[in-house]
Structure formats: structure tokens, C-alpha cells
Amino acid sequence: MSKKILVVEDDEKLRSELKIFLNNNGYDVEILENFDNAIKEIIRINPDLLLLDINLPKINGQYVCKEVRKNSSLPIIIITSRDNEIDELLSINYGADHYITKPFNVQILLAKIASLLKRADYSINQEVVDCGQFKLNISKSLVIKGDKKIELTKNEFKILRCLISSRDKIVSREDIMKDLWDSESFIDDNTLTVNITRLRNKLEELGIKELLETKRGQGYILRREML
Amino acid sequence: MKYREFLKDKILQIVLLMFAVITIEIFLLAYRVDNFIRIYIFISIMGMYLVGLLIEYLKKKKFYKNITVTLDELQEKYLITEIINTPDFIEGKIFKEIVEQIDKSMHENVNKYKYLSKDYKEYIELWIHEVKTPIATSRMIIENNKNEVTKSIEEELDKLENYIEQALFYARSNNVEKDYYIKKSNLKDIVNECIKKNKNELIQNKIQIDTKKLGVEAVNTDAKWIVFILNQIIQNSIKYKSTKIKIYSEIGKENIKLYVKDNGVGIKENEIKRVFEKGFTGTNGRIINKKSTGIGLYLSKKLCDKLGVAIKVMSNEGVTVKLVFPNNSFNEVLQN
């Protein structure tokens, strides 16, 4: 069952784009259109996670956050254009889990949502992901095939995850690099080539051949049928 | 106030009195009054007058000396009326009243401009916050419709965002109020945030980033301001054709130093002193980057001054910018 995220944001276009984006990433999205009874509505909808703007018509997001927090421990991410420390501090004190300023990096937003949801719900064990031909152990950066397993470095693992998450699509070298940079591995072009080669070699050791196909001048692609 | 100047001021009075005394003396002489009475009248009138003058002189001298000395020592000279005592002679009283009124009217005038500038700053901040929502929306649209066209728009959005950020900090830098918020921050987090912010341009221009020698130093500062300042520095490195940016830190005895070293075209030696001037673009700025505004480093310096961070630019095969954060010990004492 996919997780339900409630978006409380007064800009219509932004919330509908957020909805599309989050839907594309596998979340159910509900939108609050009327803020008159925001707090009651939020509690009634009972989402798994709340994305909350501060500047709302008629009501202040920080107040909403404080009131919701009084009788719920649901994860709250504040998304706002107010980028001063005081508002951030206030929001965190009122019980927000994260404070993201507009314009935000969408990948970081996704990562924060994922980590909050994971922490909020221990029952879902996302530790091992089944990719068909092999399995991935996320916390240990392991690729497991049958009874053989091999450990990947942080970067190799991230490259593989990046390609798996957009399988059947060509992923450019630039996109892979951006993904790695988001997690603070500021690798350059050459290092990426080295990492890809090592990743291929390690996969071959497990007998997984030709998983990563090079598209000359465009990037790499991982085909679904290879999994 | 010199004695001579004072006498010069009183010369008319003295001459008139002398004239009066001399005529009296002539009359007394004509009536054959006793010499003793004549001399007594002369001495008593002139003597009393001179004693009166002396007392007046001493009183005024004390008052004016007090005023000049206090004025010299005072930084905000317009506060002088609050400090001096009301003098006990009429000109002084009138004069003090006049100065007080002038002061008051000046304050009103200054306050008007203070208010205007505050109002303008608030408007700019509000405007910037407003404009961030459409930018965020545009980014979401791009994310949901990835292709070559939207990628190109995204690059332009990056630039737009940088300019907007600059405007925000420009408004803040001119404000007398304390806008920053000092707290313990991790230098590495600050640098990483700034690199991530510029990742699109850095990756596109194939610029290598080296942060191996960057430690997880804790500094007491406003992280957002430092991210902005670092952003200006990295933007410059990108503009001036660097292919490698090395960011490293050093722990000094009483400070923590952060270096950003690039290998771009650098700055001419005779121009390096002027890089913090507003609007200064330099020879290389005009040749290589026609869009240089000369605002980035000017603003950075201004913000650094406010935060108490020293900034230095050196050029020697590329540019090295050094930021010196004061050591924590002092701030920690303050906090305890």
C-alpha cells in the first residue's frame, strides 16, 4: 500500500505539480483546498506525512503545525519561502520534522520524505530490495545473487540505485553525477568512468553481465528485461 | 575662548565706559574736587567693571571649554545637547534651545529616511518571498516534464535565483538592524550546501571539486549568510573559467580559516586591492565575462564585516579567497 501524503499549500499550481511529482514517485497525494478548518481536516484525512506551507490564507502554518502536533506524531515537513533562522527554529520547536525553503531541490525533498516515512513506520522492511535477477541490501550496500554476494562502495551503490530507479530510460552521465552530488560525493567525470567500470566488474563477478548498457554520447541504460 | 578675543568682543563697551569716566574726570577737575575723590571714582568704576568682565570671562570660558572637549570626545556629535548643562547666561540659554530644536528637526528627518529605507527593505524581502513560490512551481513543472528544453530553462532559473538571492542580501546588507542569527554551524555542511546549489553549472562546466582537506570544523556564524558569500565566490570561479576548485580549511590558534582556491584566469595584481569596490569588474572581468556586475565581492565583504568574518582575496595562478572565522572560545565564553 502506498503512503498518503497531504499537501497543504495555497499556490494552486505548485500543489498540483507537487501532486504529479509525488504520484510519479509512488505516493498517494491529497490536497487541501480550503484552509478554513485546516487543522480538523488534517486530522480527519490522517495522512502518513504532511507537507505544510507557512503563509496560508487566514491561518499560519506554524500554528497549524503546533496544533496538529498536540495530538498526532505524524511527520511534518514545512515548505516555505521564509528563509530566516527564526522561522526555522520556531517551526522545529512547534514540532516540524524538516524545514525546506522554496525553491527546493526536489530530490532532497524526496529523500527527506522517504527517510521520515521509513522512520515513522518500522513495520515495512525496506532493507532488502528484490530486483529480479539479484537483490540489493540497502543498509549494507550489498548485491546478492543466490548465495554469492559482493559489497559495493558508497558511490557504486548509488550509481546502481540511480539506474535501477529510472530503468528503461537513458540516464545521462550528468544526471548520475547530479544524483551523487546531492549526497555530497562531488565526483568528476573521470571518477564516474572509473566507478562505472568497477561496478560492471563487480557485477560480472556475480555473473550479472551486460546489465549496464552504454549509449554513446547519451549515457547509460538499464533494461527491465535484464533484471 | 582666548582672553584677547573676549576683550575684542567687549571693546565697544570698554571704549564707551572709558569715555564716560574721562568726561566725569574732566568735570571733577573743572570743579576742583579733591584728588583723592577723583582717583577713587576712577578706580572704583573701572575696577568694578574689570572685575565684572573677569567673572563673566571665567564663566563663559568654563562653559565653552566643557562643550568643545565633550564634542571632541563624542562619537554621535548630535547628542551634545543631552550631555551639557544649561548655562546660566542668557546667550547660552538661547543658543542651547536653538540647537535642541535643530537636533529635534534633524532627528525627525533622519527618522523619515530610516522608515523609508526600512519600508523598502521589507518590501524587497516580501517580494523575494513571493517570487520564490513561482520559481519553486517552475522547478516542479520542469521536474515533471524533463527534456532538453526544460533543462535549458532550469539553467536559466538557476541564474535567476542567484540574482534574486543577491538582491535579498543587498537589501539586508544596507540595514542597520541585526538580521543575522549566530549559531554553531558545521563548516563542511555549509560548503556542501553551496556546492550542491551550484551543481548544475559545476557539472556542466566539468569543474572538479576537491574537498578532501576540508574538516568538519564548527564555527559560530550565520550559516545562510556564509552560504551566500561562498556562493558568490564559487560563481566567480565558474565565470572565470576555472576547471578545478579546491576548498580546504585550517585551524589556527584563534580562528578557523576556509580557503577556496580556483585555477581560473585570476585577477591582475594592480587590481586586487579594488575587488571589494562596488561595481568594480577589472580587466579580466570585462574581457572574459561581459555580464560581470561587480556586486558579488562587494556584497560579500560587506556581509563579512557585519558577521565579523575576515575576507581576503589573493591571486596567483587563479584566485584564492580566504575566510577567517573568529575562534569559538570567545563566543563560548559569551554563551556561558
Side-chain angles (χ1 to χ4, degrees):
Chain A
M1 198 190 87
S2 56
K3 294 284 185 178
K4 185 161 72 186
I5 296 177
L6 178 63
V7 177
V8 181
E9 155 71 57
D10 61 327
D11 189 276
E12 265 174 53
K13 214 161 166 190
L14 180 58
R15 66 183 181 221
S16 65
E17 290 294 334
L18 260 173
K19 183 174 177 169
I20 298 171
F21 175 72
L22 292 172
N23 277 338
N24 287 346
N25 284 283
Y27 295 107
D28 272 346
V29 180
E30 287 220 31
I31 278 172
L32 208 61
E33 278 167 7
N34 186 349
F35 305 103
D36 289 340
N37 288 313
I39 297 157
K40 270 186 200 156
E41 281 295 297
I42 291 167
I43 291 166
R44 186 188 61 79
I45 293 168
N46 189 24
D48 295 302
L49 187 140
L50 178 63
L51 290 183
L52 183 63
D53 188 11
I54 292 184
N55 288 337
L56 295 169
K58 295 177 201 164
I59 199 163
N60 179 304
Q62 282 161 338
Y63 173 72
V64 174
C65 179
K66 193 176 156 192
E67 290 301 306
V68 170
R69 188 50 91 227
K70 273 183 188 164
N71 37 35
S72 163
S73 64
L74 92 112
I76 299 176
I77 299 181
I78 300 266
I79 298 184
T80 177
S81 51
R82 295 194 199 174
D83 71 338
N84 62 62
E85 304 266 356
I86 312 285
D87 273 319
E88 182 166 353
L89 207 65
L90 210 59
S91 304
I92 302 289
N93 278 341
Y94 283 164
D97 295 279
H98 285 298
Y99 186 92
I100 297 181
T101 53
K102 289 176 194 167
F104 44 85
N105 180 320
V106 284
Q107 296 306 326
I108 288 175
L109 175 67
L110 264 191
K112 286 193 168 165
I113 291 176
S115 79
L116 275 180
L117 285 176
K118 199 174 148 196
R119 208 177 316 148
D121 191 356
Y122 286 105
S123 62
I124 293 179
N125 190 351
Q126 275 287 330
E127 191 128 284
V128 178
V129 180
D130 195 343
C131 300
Q133 209 190 136
F134 56 88
K135 288 190 178 98
L136 286 181
N137 182 319
I138 290 165
S139 61
K140 289 181 184 153
S141 299
L142 287 176
V143 182
I144 307 158
K145 192 187 181 196
D147 50 0
K148 280 195 289 185
K149 56 185 163 190
I150 200 156
E151 198 179 335
L152 300 181
T153 64
K154 205 175 82 188
N155 285 348
E156 291 159 3
F157 192 74
K158 275 180 199 145
I159 295 170
L160 186 60
R161 278 200 83 183
C162 173
L163 286 166
I164 289 174
S165 66
S166 37
R167 55 184 158 250
D168 280 339
K169 276 187 239 158
I170 298 174
V171 185
S172 71
R173 292 174 63 86
E174 252 183 68
D175 287 339
I176 298 176
M177 277 168 77
K178 280 181 197 168
D179 200 67
L180 285 168
W181 281 41
D182 275 337
S183 46
E184 295 171 5
S185 305
F186 307 120
I187 62 159
D188 59 30
D189 214 51
N190 294 333
T191 320
L192 178 65
T193 312
V194 173
N195 271 305
I196 297 250
T197 313
R198 275 208 220 119
L199 176 61
R200 278 193 170 129
N201 289 342
K202 282 188 180 172
L203 289 175
E204 254 171 59
E205 267 178 56
L206 287 181
I208 308 166
K209 282 178 189 168
E210 286 153 19
L211 183 69
L212 310 183
E213 193 181 318
T214 310
K215 287 277 179 186
R216 206 159 248 289
Q218 295 180 75
Y220 303 93
I221 185 165
L222 193 148
R223 292 196 194 281
R224 194 183 295 269
E225 61 263 25
M226 296 300 295
L227 287 176
Chain B
M1 196 166 72
K2 290 206 177 90
Y3 193 64
R4 224 179 265 183
E5 285 170 343
F6 180 71
L7 274 185
K8 220 172 143 189
D9 217 43
K10 300 282 176 191
I11 196 81
L12 187 66
Q13 277 182 32
I14 295 172
V15 169
L16 286 177
L17 190 72
M18 286 288 272
F19 179 73
V21 171
I22 287 167
T23 46
I24 289 172
E25 288 294 313
I26 291 170
F27 277 121
L28 292 179
L29 205 62
Y31 286 98
R32 295 174 192 281
V33 175
D34 191 52
N35 270 355
F36 172 75
I37 296 179
R38 253 173 46 216
I39 293 169
Y40 177 79
I41 289 177
F42 177 78
I43 291 180
S44 66
I45 294 180
M46 286 313 284
M48 288 303 148
Y49 178 67
L50 288 178
V51 169
L53 268 191
L54 187 69
I55 293 172
E56 194 190 342
Y57 169 72
L58 290 175
K59 201 156 72 181
K60 286 193 177 168
K61 185 179 167 141
K62 194 178 147 206
F63 174 72
Y64 285 115
K65 196 174 171 187
N66 183 21
I67 274 200
T68 19
V69 170
T70 339
L71 200 61
D72 269 350
E73 285 168 355
L74 211 60
Q75 206 135 48
E76 276 102 2
K77 303 217 186 286
Y78 54 85
L79 291 177
I80 189 79
T81 48
E82 310 289 328
I83 292 175
I84 52 163
N85 298 323
T86 309
D88 52 3
F89 52 95
I90 187 74
E91 301 103 307
K93 278 182 196 159
I94 295 174
F95 205 73
K96 193 178 171 220
E97 234 165 68
I98 291 175
V99 174
E100 272 169 358
Q101 277 191 30
I102 294 174
D103 253 12
K104 205 178 146 206
S105 128
M106 184 205 74
H107 275 303
E108 277 164 12
N109 218 9
V110 169
N111 276 341
K112 192 173 98 191
Y113 287 103
K114 253 190 208 159
Y115 173 75
L116 278 181
S117 120
K118 194 176 161 224
D119 194 51
Y120 188 62
K121 182 199 148 222
E122 278 168 8
Y123 170 69
I124 293 279
E125 287 197 337
L126 184 76
W127 180 87
I128 284 164
H129 292 154
E130 294 290 331
V131 86
K132 277 180 176 172
T133 302
I135 292 183
T137 313
S138 309
R139 286 204 186 276
M140 290 303 317
I141 298 172
I142 289 168
E143 192 60 38
N144 291 336
N145 303 281
K146 270 187 171 171
N147 59 44
E148 282 304 308
V149 177
T150 53
K151 201 172 141 192
S152 173
I153 295 175
E154 192 181 16
E155 284 162 28
E156 298 305 308
L157 272 185
D158 283 345
K159 288 183 204 163
L160 191 64
E161 233 187 286
N162 278 324
Y163 286 128
I164 288 170
E165 191 99 303
Q166 217 175 49
L168 177 66
F169 276 92
Y170 193 92
R172 283 180 181 170
S173 78
N174 280 331
N175 206 269
V176 247
E177 283 163 46
K178 187 174 164 266
D179 255 330
Y180 48 87
Y181 186 75
I182 304 267
K183 67 168 194 214
K184 198 175 245 175
S185 325
N186 180 339
L187 201 53
K188 196 165 191 159
D189 289 344
I190 296 177
V191 172
N192 283 346
E193 195 188 326
C194 195
I195 297 173
K196 277 192 258 178
K197 219 171 157 160
N198 288 291
K199 66 170 191 238
N200 290 348
E201 269 189 283
L202 288 169
I203 291 175
Q204 192 140 60
N205 290 300
K206 299 205 186 321
I207 297 172
Q208 251 185 311
I209 295 287
D210 178 359
T211 56
K212 281 186 218 90
K213 294 242 166 78
L214 175 68
V216 281
E217 270 74 81
V219 286
N220 280 308
T221 194
D222 185 316
K224 291 210 165 90
W225 284 41
I226 298 296
V227 167
F228 172 80
I229 292 162
L230 273 179
N231 198 34
Q232 303 305 308
I233 297 167
I234 289 180
Q235 286 277 320
N236 278 346
S237 296
I238 299 171
K239 275 186 195 164
Y240 295 113
K241 315 276 176 214
S242 303
T243 54
K244 195 173 176 184
I245 301 175
K246 191 176 169 189
I247 303 174
Y248 55 103
S249 58
E250 264 177 29
I251 302 182
K253 233 181 194 172
E254 277 161 7
N255 50 38
I256 290 163
K257 299 182 193 111
L258 177 72
Y259 295 87
V260 181
K261 183 175 164 50
D262 71 19
N263 62 350
V265 291
I267 306 164
K268 291 195 170 170
E269 214 186 309
N270 55 341
E271 292 179 344
I272 207 140
K273 271 180 284 175
R274 300 186 56 202
V275 291
F276 294 127
E277 283 175 25
K278 186 177 177 184
F280 181 76
T281 49
T283 323
N284 292 342
R286 287 188 291 273
I287 295 171
I288 291 174
N289 197 305
K290 295 202 171 63
K291 275 181 289 181
S292 285
T293 52
I295 294 290
L297 280 179
Y298 159 77
L299 250 188
S300 303
K301 167 81 177 151
K302 228 170 152 183
L303 297 174
C304 276
D305 286 348
K306 280 201 162 189
L307 284 178
V309 172
I311 179 168
K312 202 177 171 206
V313 176
M314 297 155 276
S315 185
N316 166 26
E317 291 171 41
V319 174
T320 306
V321 181
K322 177 166 87 169
L323 294 180
V324 185
F325 297 88
N327 198 354
N328 302 331
S329 55
F330 175 65
N331 288 317
E332 261 157 29
V333 170
L334 277 187
Q335 277 166 10
N336 294 336

